[in-house]
Amino acid sequence: MKAFDTLINETLEAENLEELEAAADLFQFGVEKGHYSKWQATEFNNAYWEVKNRCLALEISSVIKGNKLDIIDIVSKAPMEVKDDKEKLINYVNGRIKALKGKIKGLK
């Protein structure tokens, strides 16, 4: 079983959703075998969602033109049910970007 710090570092370095899911499977196996604590589960969950939000945002940024940091922020705050469906997530992000543009134009 991998050391927790190594697993977290590898998770944070995941470049796509497949690598992320492989890390999640490995962590789940370790949890089932009793190798990781509740605190470690919380830490892994935080790292998992950080990487998943980034990966989803990068996938969507190829479809939606906009600032990648804004897209990452919008994706990270999107409801869970939206994150499971790529089309719904694209529509959600488009809507939020349009809403932000409207607020910014209203200030001028």
Side-chain angles (χ1 to χ4, degrees):
M1 187 60 27
K2 289 189 178 200
F4 181 72
D5 291 338
T6 303
L7 182 60
I8 288 292
N9 290 335
E10 289 178 3
T11 301
L12 290 171
E13 293 172 1
E15 295 180 7
N16 57 48
L17 292 174
E18 290 81 25
E19 289 178 10
L20 180 63
E21 293 305 322
D25 290 343
L26 185 60
F27 182 75
Q28 181 62 35
F29 178 75
V31 168
E32 290 171 0
K33 296 293 183 183
H35 294 288
Y36 302 119
S37 67
K38 286 184 181 182
W39 174 84
Q40 290 170 321
T42 301
E43 289 298 309
F44 182 83
N45 192 41
N46 291 338
Y48 173 87
W49 281 106
E50 177 183 331
V51 174
K52 184 160 185 170
N53 288 333
R54 182 174 31 104
C55 288
L56 288 172
L58 292 176
E59 282 183 15
I60 288 177
S61 69
S62 66
V63 176
I64 297 173
K65 301 303 176 213
N67 184 317
K68 287 183 181 179
L69 293 176
D70 288 340
I71 294 173
I72 290 171
D73 187 54
I74 292 168
V75 168
S76 68
K77 294 177 180 158
M80 296 302 276
E81 61 271 5
V82 173
K83 290 181 184 181
D84 291 335
D85 184 344
K86 191 172 180 179
E87 283 301 314
K88 285 182 181 179
L89 187 57
I90 290 171
N91 290 334
Y92 179 83
V93 172
N94 265 331
R96 296 303 307 146
I97 288 175
K98 288 177 184 175
L100 288 173
K101 285 181 181 177
K103 287 181 181 179
I104 293 170
K105 288 180 182 174
L107 294 174
K108 290 183 179 181

